[in-house]
Amino acid sequence: MIHDELSYRRAPPAPKLDEAFPIPAEAALFSKKSTLSLASVLLLAATLLSPTTAAAAPVAPVAVAAPDIPVANVRAHLDDLQAIATANSGNRAHGRAGYRASVDYVKAKLDAVGFQTSLQQFTSSGATGWNLIADWPGGDPDSVLMVGGHLDSVTAGPGINDNGSGSSGILEVALTVAAQQFQPQRHLRFGWWGAEELGLVGSTFYVNSLSSTEKSKIKTYLNFDMTGSPNPGYFVYAGAGQPAGSVAVQQMLVDYYTSVGVQTELTEVGGRSDHAAFARAGIATGGTFSGAEVVKTAAQAAKWGGTSGVAFDRCYHRSCDTTANIDVPALDRNTDAIAHALWTLAQVETPPAGPKFENTTDVTIPDLSTVESPITVSGITGNAPATLGVGVDITHTYRGDLVIDLIAPDGTSFRVKNSGNDSGDDVVATYSVDASGKVADGVWKLRVQDVAAQDTGRINGWSLQF
């Protein structure tokens, strides 16, 4: 997990997304065979489709339940990553021999069971880095479910929780896909990212390397960064304000933890981990994590066990982030959540999209101004959908300046993006708006406000997907 200062320009860093909370060892055992509620399945069927499509009708519930992932196998991978770090100056950092050895370790495991793997090379801070991409043969190539996490550590330590835990959990889930010869409707792709600790370099390089067509094929990206913190919590990435489908991912994960007797809290992820580049590309995202340097509160300790007044991970970015720095129950539960999310989302078929309306006329966004761009919708009977897709393509030199609203024909305003401290360029994303209370036909407007000085841009175009 990267440092906050890499993600923010104008304000002090916010509390880190990595904090999570441990479950007491004395908690009652739970069944790992629990199923998703019908309501949650229907929500997924309706909204977890393409980031740019709205549901025409619900689809059937998932057909195959996720298997239990043996935590002993995940721990064995962590032992091997620890051995790699120990043999390579105590770390697995970008540009170091320990990172390349980690990549080779994961790749060999995947190659042996039939994955199609590839290494993507990039350069950062004067050193060569690699992303490892693994595709499971089969499934709809135009409907990709991708699961990923970063494999590199900081130079200060072996990075066993950050992020050997997520990387090893993803690896074991991938190996289970192969062992069960799982063949879902969607195509499955896995990614292990390099140089995350230097500012999300590897994952951003990967997404930027894709053509618009290839990006559009990735319907959902799931990220798992720190899943075994020693004083753990159970956090789920908040989907609000993220691309269409992200709220459904959030609810699916919350429902899963509820079904196994674990309470959760939502966390605003922002640009803190490798999901960020996917979200900027308009791809639905989600994930879990178990906490980093932020201190656990008394209320959280009462809910999840562990020690209040102590960081979720006291060894965050330190040399003591070893195999002794892992809470096994948290690692077990989070890895099972990875499997549940993959098995659930991979079996959701994409229904046909409704009509799409676009305005591709450029609109300049001067500094400290408000501009609007209209779209006239006609031929739609009744109200707009509860998952109206609002596609936005805006060029801007500091997207944190922008506030974006969708204005319905009757003047009702729906906030789709708030301003913030995101210093990145441009807004290219698809948002989901519940416009079911509004008549579809009429003139809809995209209202964009530049609320801070210095930066300007333009609306390149926008769309409404019914």
Side-chain angles (χ1 to χ4, degrees), residues 164-202:
S165 58
S167 291
S168 295
I170 294 166
L171 173 58
E172 191 56 34
V173 168
L175 296 177
T176 303
V177 165
Q180 298 205 353
Q181 289 296 297
F182 184 42
Q183 292 295 332
Q185 286 94 347
R186 286 181 166 174
H187 178 75
L188 300 179
R189 181 175 299 156
F190 299 82
W192 286 265
W193 311 117
E196 188 268 359
E197 299 291 5
L198 300 185
L200 315 178
V201 177

mmCIF file of all heavy atoms in Angstrom, residues 164-202:
data_model
loop_
_atom_site.group_PDB
_atom_site.id
_atom_site.type_symbol
_atom_site.label_atom_id
_atom_site.label_comp_id
_atom_site.label_asym_id
_atom_site.label_seq_id
_atom_site.Cartn_x
_atom_site.Cartn_y
_atom_site.Cartn_z
ATOM 1 N N GLY A 164 2.144 -9.411 0.489
ATOM 2 C CA GLY A 164 2.206 -10.849 0.284
ATOM 3 C C GLY A 164 0.880 -11.508 0.573
ATOM 4 O O GLY A 164 0.508 -12.501 -0.068
ATOM 5 N N SER A 165 0.125 -10.956 1.540
ATOM 6 C CA SER A 165 -1.153 -11.570 1.936
ATOM 7 C C SER A 165 -2.155 -11.560 0.800
ATOM 8 O O SER A 165 -2.711 -12.608 0.430
ATOM 9 C CB SER A 165 -1.722 -10.851 3.158
ATOM 10 O OG SER A 165 -1.916 -9.463 2.904
ATOM 11 N N GLY A 166 -2.411 -10.382 0.201
ATOM 12 C CA GLY A 166 -3.346 -10.329 -0.913
ATOM 13 C C GLY A 166 -2.843 -11.093 -2.119
ATOM 14 O O GLY A 166 -3.600 -11.827 -2.775
ATOM 15 N N SER A 167 -1.549 -10.956 -2.421
ATOM 16 C CA SER A 167 -0.975 -11.655 -3.573
ATOM 17 C C SER A 167 -1.088 -13.167 -3.431
ATOM 18 O O SER A 167 -1.397 -13.877 -4.396
ATOM 19 C CB SER A 167 0.501 -11.267 -3.734
ATOM 20 O OG SER A 167 0.633 -9.930 -4.144
ATOM 21 N N SER A 168 -0.834 -13.677 -2.230
ATOM 22 C CA SER A 168 -0.894 -15.122 -2.009
ATOM 23 C C SER A 168 -2.331 -15.632 -2.024
ATOM 24 O O SER A 168 -2.608 -16.730 -2.516
ATOM 25 C CB SER A 168 -0.221 -15.474 -0.678
ATOM 26 O OG SER A 168 1.151 -15.175 -0.726
ATOM 27 N N GLY A 169 -3.248 -14.835 -1.476
ATOM 28 C CA GLY A 169 -4.648 -15.226 -1.529
ATOM 29 C C GLY A 169 -5.155 -15.302 -2.952
ATOM 30 O O GLY A 169 -5.847 -16.251 -3.345
ATOM 31 N N ILE A 170 -4.815 -14.299 -3.767
ATOM 32 C CA ILE A 170 -5.213 -14.300 -5.177
ATOM 33 C C ILE A 170 -4.607 -15.499 -5.898
ATOM 34 O O ILE A 170 -5.274 -16.171 -6.698
ATOM 35 C CB ILE A 170 -4.794 -12.985 -5.845
ATOM 36 C CG1 ILE A 170 -5.570 -11.815 -5.252
ATOM 37 C CG2 ILE A 170 -5.015 -13.050 -7.357
ATOM 38 C CD1 ILE A 170 -4.989 -10.463 -5.609
ATOM 39 N N LEU A 171 -3.333 -15.785 -5.616
ATOM 40 C CA LEU A 171 -2.676 -16.931 -6.241
ATOM 41 C C LEU A 171 -3.396 -18.228 -5.910
ATOM 42 O O LEU A 171 -3.673 -19.046 -6.803
ATOM 43 C CB LEU A 171 -1.217 -17.010 -5.794
ATOM 44 C CG LEU A 171 -0.436 -18.263 -6.223
ATOM 45 C CD1 LEU A 171 -0.422 -18.418 -7.740
ATOM 46 C CD2 LEU A 171 0.982 -18.224 -5.663
ATOM 47 N N GLU A 172 -3.721 -18.433 -4.646
ATOM 48 C CA GLU A 172 -4.368 -19.689 -4.274
ATOM 49 C C GLU A 172 -5.775 -19.794 -4.861
ATOM 50 O O GLU A 172 -6.214 -20.885 -5.243
ATOM 51 C CB GLU A 172 -4.421 -19.839 -2.748
ATOM 52 C CG GLU A 172 -4.844 -21.225 -2.279
ATOM 53 C CD GLU A 172 -3.965 -22.353 -2.831
ATOM 54 O OE1 GLU A 172 -2.747 -22.146 -3.022
ATOM 55 O OE2 GLU A 172 -4.525 -23.458 -3.067
ATOM 56 N N VAL A 173 -6.481 -18.681 -4.973
ATOM 57 C CA VAL A 173 -7.792 -18.709 -5.630
ATOM 58 C C VAL A 173 -7.623 -19.069 -7.105
ATOM 59 O O VAL A 173 -8.391 -19.869 -7.655
ATOM 60 C CB VAL A 173 -8.510 -17.357 -5.465
ATOM 61 C CG1 VAL A 173 -9.730 -17.262 -6.376
ATOM 62 C CG2 VAL A 173 -8.931 -17.153 -4.013
ATOM 63 N N ALA A 174 -6.618 -18.507 -7.768
ATOM 64 C CA ALA A 174 -6.362 -18.840 -9.170
ATOM 65 C C ALA A 174 -6.035 -20.326 -9.329
ATOM 66 O O ALA A 174 -6.522 -20.995 -10.254
ATOM 67 C CB ALA A 174 -5.225 -17.987 -9.716
ATOM 68 N N LEU A 175 -5.220 -20.855 -8.424
ATOM 69 C CA LEU A 175 -4.882 -22.281 -8.492
ATOM 70 C C LEU A 175 -6.116 -23.151 -8.260
ATOM 71 O O LEU A 175 -6.241 -24.246 -8.835
ATOM 72 C CB LEU A 175 -3.800 -22.609 -7.463
ATOM 73 C CG LEU A 175 -2.439 -21.928 -7.685
ATOM 74 C CD1 LEU A 175 -1.474 -22.281 -6.561
ATOM 75 C CD2 LEU A 175 -1.856 -22.297 -9.045
ATOM 76 N N THR A 176 -7.047 -22.674 -7.443
ATOM 77 C CA THR A 176 -8.291 -23.407 -7.207
ATOM 78 C C THR A 176 -9.182 -23.373 -8.443
ATOM 79 O O THR A 176 -9.866 -24.359 -8.756
ATOM 80 C CB THR A 176 -9.029 -22.820 -5.993
ATOM 81 O OG1 THR A 176 -8.163 -22.854 -4.861
ATOM 82 C CG2 THR A 176 -10.295 -23.613 -5.677
ATOM 83 N N VAL A 177 -9.197 -22.251 -9.149
ATOM 84 C CA VAL A 177 -9.912 -22.176 -10.428
ATOM 85 C C VAL A 177 -9.423 -23.287 -11.352
ATOM 86 O O VAL A 177 -10.211 -23.998 -11.979
ATOM 87 C CB VAL A 177 -9.705 -20.800 -11.087
ATOM 88 C CG1 VAL A 177 -10.113 -20.819 -12.560
ATOM 89 C CG2 VAL A 177 -10.492 -19.726 -10.350
ATOM 90 N N ALA A 178 -8.108 -23.465 -11.434
ATOM 91 C CA ALA A 178 -7.535 -24.492 -12.298
ATOM 92 C C ALA A 178 -7.845 -25.890 -11.781
ATOM 93 O O ALA A 178 -8.208 -26.788 -12.556
ATOM 94 C CB ALA A 178 -6.030 -24.295 -12.410
ATOM 95 N N ALA A 179 -7.727 -26.089 -10.467
ATOM 96 C CA ALA A 179 -7.969 -27.420 -9.895
ATOM 97 C C ALA A 179 -9.407 -27.875 -10.132
ATOM 98 O O ALA A 179 -9.668 -29.069 -10.353
ATOM 99 C CB ALA A 179 -7.660 -27.406 -8.401
ATOM 100 N N GLN A 180 -10.346 -26.938 -10.094
ATOM 101 C CA GLN A 180 -11.754 -27.277 -10.294
ATOM 102 C C GLN A 180 -12.187 -27.136 -11.752
ATOM 103 O O GLN A 180 -13.353 -27.379 -12.072
ATOM 104 C CB GLN A 180 -12.620 -26.408 -9.397
ATOM 105 C CG GLN A 180 -12.352 -26.614 -7.913
ATOM 106 C CD GLN A 180 -13.540 -26.258 -7.053
ATOM 107 O OE1 GLN A 180 -14.542 -25.727 -7.512
ATOM 108 N NE2 GLN A 180 -13.441 -26.570 -5.771
ATOM 109 N N GLN A 181 -11.252 -26.711 -12.604
ATOM 110 C CA GLN A 181 -11.579 -26.488 -14.011
ATOM 111 C C GLN A 181 -12.840 -25.633 -14.150
ATOM 112 O O GLN A 181 -13.755 -25.928 -14.912
ATOM 113 C CB GLN A 181 -11.728 -27.819 -14.749
ATOM 114 C CG GLN A 181 -10.404 -28.548 -14.964
ATOM 115 C CD GLN A 181 -9.449 -27.765 -15.859
ATOM 116 O OE1 GLN A 181 -9.743 -27.511 -17.029
ATOM 117 N NE2 GLN A 181 -8.298 -27.368 -15.311
ATOM 118 N N PHE A 182 -12.859 -24.555 -13.393
ATOM 119 C CA PHE A 182 -13.995 -23.637 -13.369
ATOM 120 C C PHE A 182 -14.120 -22.950 -14.730
ATOM 121 O O PHE A 182 -13.160 -22.387 -15.241
ATOM 122 C CB PHE A 182 -13.761 -22.603 -12.268
ATOM 123 C CG PHE A 182 -14.888 -21.636 -12.037
ATOM 124 C CD1 PHE A 182 -16.211 -22.052 -12.029
ATOM 125 C CD2 PHE A 182 -14.605 -20.299 -11.790
ATOM 126 C CE1 PHE A 182 -17.238 -21.151 -11.791
ATOM 127 C CE2 PHE A 182 -15.625 -19.385 -11.549
ATOM 128 C CZ PHE A 182 -16.945 -19.817 -11.555
ATOM 129 N N GLN A 183 -15.310 -23.007 -15.324
ATOM 130 C CA GLN A 183 -15.547 -22.402 -16.633
ATOM 131 C C GLN A 183 -16.801 -21.530 -16.572
ATOM 132 O O GLN A 183 -17.883 -21.925 -16.968
ATOM 133 C CB GLN A 183 -15.697 -23.489 -17.707
ATOM 134 C CG GLN A 183 -14.424 -24.252 -18.002
ATOM 135 C CD GLN A 183 -13.348 -23.356 -18.623
ATOM 136 O OE1 GLN A 183 -13.651 -22.374 -19.295
ATOM 137 N NE2 GLN A 183 -12.081 -23.699 -18.392
ATOM 138 N N PRO A 184 -16.656 -20.297 -16.064
ATOM 139 C CA PRO A 184 -17.808 -19.404 -15.927
ATOM 140 C C PRO A 184 -18.127 -18.675 -17.233
ATOM 141 O O PRO A 184 -17.419 -18.830 -18.231
ATOM 142 C CB PRO A 184 -17.333 -18.410 -14.871
ATOM 143 C CG PRO A 184 -15.860 -18.312 -15.123
ATOM 144 C CD PRO A 184 -15.424 -19.705 -15.542
ATOM 145 N N GLN A 185 -19.206 -17.872 -17.192
ATOM 146 C CA GLN A 185 -19.562 -17.097 -18.377
ATOM 147 C C GLN A 185 -18.484 -16.074 -18.719
ATOM 148 O O GLN A 185 -18.164 -15.854 -19.889
ATOM 149 C CB GLN A 185 -20.897 -16.360 -18.160
ATOM 150 C CG GLN A 185 -22.113 -17.260 -18.211
ATOM 151 C CD GLN A 185 -22.530 -17.733 -16.822
ATOM 152 O OE1 GLN A 185 -21.772 -17.581 -15.859
ATOM 153 N NE2 GLN A 185 -23.719 -18.305 -16.719
ATOM 154 N N ARG A 186 -17.926 -15.414 -17.726
ATOM 155 C CA ARG A 186 -16.942 -14.379 -17.972
ATOM 156 C C ARG A 186 -15.536 -14.960 -18.101
ATOM 157 O O ARG A 186 -15.228 -16.007 -17.543
ATOM 158 C CB ARG A 186 -16.968 -13.344 -16.847
ATOM 159 C CG ARG A 186 -18.174 -12.421 -16.913
ATOM 160 C CD ARG A 186 -18.160 -11.399 -15.811
ATOM 161 N NE ARG A 186 -19.114 -10.334 -16.084
ATOM 162 C CZ ARG A 186 -19.404 -9.354 -15.247
ATOM 163 N NH1 ARG A 186 -18.824 -9.287 -14.067
ATOM 164 N NH2 ARG A 186 -20.290 -8.428 -15.572
ATOM 165 N N HIS A 187 -14.710 -14.230 -18.819
ATOM 166 C CA HIS A 187 -13.298 -14.587 -18.898
ATOM 167 C C HIS A 187 -12.592 -14.099 -17.637
ATOM 168 O O HIS A 187 -12.834 -12.972 -17.177
ATOM 169 C CB HIS A 187 -12.667 -13.945 -20.135
ATOM 170 C CG HIS A 187 -11.215 -14.220 -20.281
ATOM 171 N ND1 HIS A 187 -10.732 -15.442 -20.707
ATOM 172 C CD2 HIS A 187 -10.126 -13.444 -20.033
ATOM 173 C CE1 HIS A 187 -9.407 -15.393 -20.727
ATOM 174 N NE2 HIS A 187 -9.014 -14.201 -20.318
ATOM 175 N N LEU A 188 -11.715 -14.928 -17.083
ATOM 176 C CA LEU A 188 -11.021 -14.602 -15.840
ATOM 177 C C LEU A 188 -9.582 -14.175 -16.128
ATOM 178 O O LEU A 188 -8.851 -14.860 -16.846
ATOM 179 C CB LEU A 188 -11.011 -15.805 -14.898
ATOM 180 C CG LEU A 188 -12.381 -16.342 -14.474
ATOM 181 C CD1 LEU A 188 -12.205 -17.549 -13.549
ATOM 182 C CD2 LEU A 188 -13.197 -15.256 -13.783
ATOM 183 N N ARG A 189 -9.195 -13.057 -15.515
ATOM 184 C CA ARG A 189 -7.821 -12.554 -15.665
ATOM 185 C C ARG A 189 -7.313 -12.122 -14.290
ATOM 186 O O ARG A 189 -8.053 -11.518 -13.510
ATOM 187 C CB ARG A 189 -7.782 -11.375 -16.636
ATOM 188 C CG ARG A 189 -6.382 -10.806 -16.872
ATOM 189 C CD ARG A 189 -6.418 -9.733 -17.946
ATOM 190 N NE ARG A 189 -6.893 -10.290 -19.209
ATOM 191 C CZ ARG A 189 -7.471 -9.575 -20.180
ATOM 192 N NH1 ARG A 189 -7.650 -8.274 -20.019
ATOM 193 N NH2 ARG A 189 -7.860 -10.162 -21.284
ATOM 194 N N PHE A 190 -6.053 -12.430 -14.023
ATOM 195 C CA PHE A 190 -5.425 -12.086 -12.751
ATOM 196 C C PHE A 190 -4.205 -11.213 -13.018
ATOM 197 O O PHE A 190 -3.524 -11.370 -14.036
ATOM 198 C CB PHE A 190 -5.000 -13.345 -11.999
ATOM 199 C CG PHE A 190 -6.140 -14.266 -11.643
ATOM 200 C CD1 PHE A 190 -6.636 -15.163 -12.572
ATOM 201 C CD2 PHE A 190 -6.723 -14.229 -10.380
ATOM 202 C CE1 PHE A 190 -7.695 -16.016 -12.255
ATOM 203 C CE2 PHE A 190 -7.775 -15.067 -10.045
ATOM 204 C CZ PHE A 190 -8.269 -15.959 -10.988
ATOM 205 N N GLY A 191 -3.932 -10.292 -12.078
ATOM 206 C CA GLY A 191 -2.771 -9.425 -12.231
ATOM 207 C C GLY A 191 -2.014 -9.264 -10.924
ATOM 208 O O GLY A 191 -2.614 -9.084 -9.863
ATOM 209 N N TRP A 192 -0.689 -9.344 -11.001
ATOM 210 C CA TRP A 192 0.186 -9.051 -9.856
ATOM 211 C C TRP A 192 1.041 -7.870 -10.283
ATOM 212 O O TRP A 192 1.817 -7.945 -11.237
ATOM 213 C CB TRP A 192 1.047 -10.266 -9.514
ATOM 214 C CG TRP A 192 0.263 -11.352 -8.830
ATOM 215 C CD1 TRP A 192 0.145 -11.573 -7.489
ATOM 216 C CD2 TRP A 192 -0.524 -12.385 -9.477
ATOM 217 N NE1 TRP A 192 -0.667 -12.654 -7.251
ATOM 218 C CE2 TRP A 192 -1.102 -13.174 -8.446
ATOM 219 C CE3 TRP A 192 -0.809 -12.708 -10.802
ATOM 220 C CZ2 TRP A 192 -1.925 -14.252 -8.723
ATOM 221 C CZ3 TRP A 192 -1.632 -13.782 -11.077
ATOM 222 C CH2 TRP A 192 -2.175 -14.548 -10.031
ATOM 223 N N TRP A 193 0.900 -6.754 -9.565
ATOM 224 C CA TRP A 193 1.451 -5.480 -10.018
ATOM 225 C C TRP A 193 2.805 -5.169 -9.380
ATOM 226 O O TRP A 193 3.030 -5.447 -8.207
ATOM 227 C CB TRP A 193 0.472 -4.350 -9.698
ATOM 228 C CG TRP A 193 -0.928 -4.640 -10.122
ATOM 229 C CD1 TRP A 193 -2.032 -4.761 -9.336
ATOM 230 C CD2 TRP A 193 -1.378 -4.891 -11.456
ATOM 231 N NE1 TRP A 193 -3.139 -5.050 -10.081
ATOM 232 C CE2 TRP A 193 -2.767 -5.145 -11.394
ATOM 233 C CE3 TRP A 193 -0.739 -4.916 -12.706
ATOM 234 C CZ2 TRP A 193 -3.525 -5.421 -12.525
ATOM 235 C CZ3 TRP A 193 -1.492 -5.202 -13.838
ATOM 236 C CH2 TRP A 193 -2.873 -5.442 -13.742
ATOM 237 N N GLY A 194 3.662 -4.534 -10.154
ATOM 238 C CA GLY A 194 4.947 -4.071 -9.664
ATOM 239 C C GLY A 194 4.909 -2.591 -9.314
ATOM 240 O O GLY A 194 4.063 -1.840 -9.799
ATOM 241 N N ALA A 195 5.837 -2.183 -8.457
ATOM 242 C CA ALA A 195 6.071 -0.773 -8.108
ATOM 243 C C ALA A 195 4.822 -0.058 -7.612
ATOM 244 O O ALA A 195 4.690 1.147 -7.790
ATOM 245 C CB ALA A 195 6.671 -0.024 -9.300
ATOM 246 N N GLU A 196 3.947 -0.777 -6.933
ATOM 247 C CA GLU A 196 2.814 -0.108 -6.285
ATOM 248 C C GLU A 196 3.304 0.841 -5.215
ATOM 249 O O GLU A 196 2.762 1.950 -5.047
ATOM 250 C CB GLU A 196 1.869 -1.150 -5.674
ATOM 251 C CG GLU A 196 0.556 -0.577 -5.143
ATOM 252 C CD GLU A 196 0.593 -0.200 -3.664
ATOM 253 O OE1 GLU A 196 1.651 -0.391 -3.015
ATOM 254 O OE2 GLU A 196 -0.431 0.293 -3.149
ATOM 255 N N GLU A 197 4.322 0.405 -4.489
ATOM 256 C CA GLU A 197 4.823 1.210 -3.377
ATOM 257 C C GLU A 197 5.484 2.509 -3.836
ATOM 258 O O GLU A 197 5.728 3.399 -3.025
ATOM 259 C CB GLU A 197 5.815 0.390 -2.544
ATOM 260 C CG GLU A 197 5.216 -0.877 -1.904
ATOM 261 C CD GLU A 197 4.215 -0.573 -0.798
ATOM 262 O OE1 GLU A 197 3.900 0.603 -0.570
ATOM 263 O OE2 GLU A 197 3.740 -1.530 -0.158
ATOM 264 N N LEU A 198 5.747 2.642 -5.131
ATOM 265 C CA LEU A 198 6.317 3.872 -5.666
ATOM 266 C C LEU A 198 5.244 4.786 -6.247
ATOM 267 O O LEU A 198 5.570 5.818 -6.847
ATOM 268 C CB LEU A 198 7.365 3.546 -6.736
ATOM 269 C CG LEU A 198 8.551 2.704 -6.274
ATOM 270 C CD1 LEU A 198 9.568 2.565 -7.397
ATOM 271 C CD2 LEU A 198 9.200 3.304 -5.036
ATOM 272 N N GLY A 199 3.971 4.405 -6.081
ATOM 273 C CA GLY A 199 2.900 5.255 -6.590
ATOM 274 C C GLY A 199 2.015 4.588 -7.626
ATOM 275 O O GLY A 199 1.657 5.227 -8.625
ATOM 276 N N LEU A 200 1.651 3.324 -7.417
ATOM 277 C CA LEU A 200 0.717 2.607 -8.294
ATOM 278 C C LEU A 200 1.245 2.523 -9.726
ATOM 279 O O LEU A 200 0.474 2.568 -10.696
ATOM 280 C CB LEU A 200 -0.658 3.298 -8.301
ATOM 281 C CG LEU A 200 -1.227 3.721 -6.951
ATOM 282 C CD1 LEU A 200 -2.563 4.429 -7.143
ATOM 283 C CD2 LEU A 200 -1.380 2.554 -6.009
ATOM 284 N N VAL A 201 2.561 2.378 -9.864
ATOM 285 C CA VAL A 201 3.187 2.497 -11.185
ATOM 286 C C VAL A 201 2.786 1.350 -12.114
ATOM 287 O O VAL A 201 2.379 1.573 -13.259
ATOM 288 C CB VAL A 201 4.724 2.557 -11.051
ATOM 289 C CG1 VAL A 201 5.379 2.603 -12.427
ATOM 290 C CG2 VAL A 201 5.134 3.767 -10.224
ATOM 291 N N GLY A 202 2.896 0.111 -11.631
ATOM 292 C CA GLY A 202 2.658 -1.034 -12.502
ATOM 293 C C GLY A 202 1.228 -1.121 -12.996
ATOM 294 O O GLY A 202 0.974 -1.320 -14.193
#
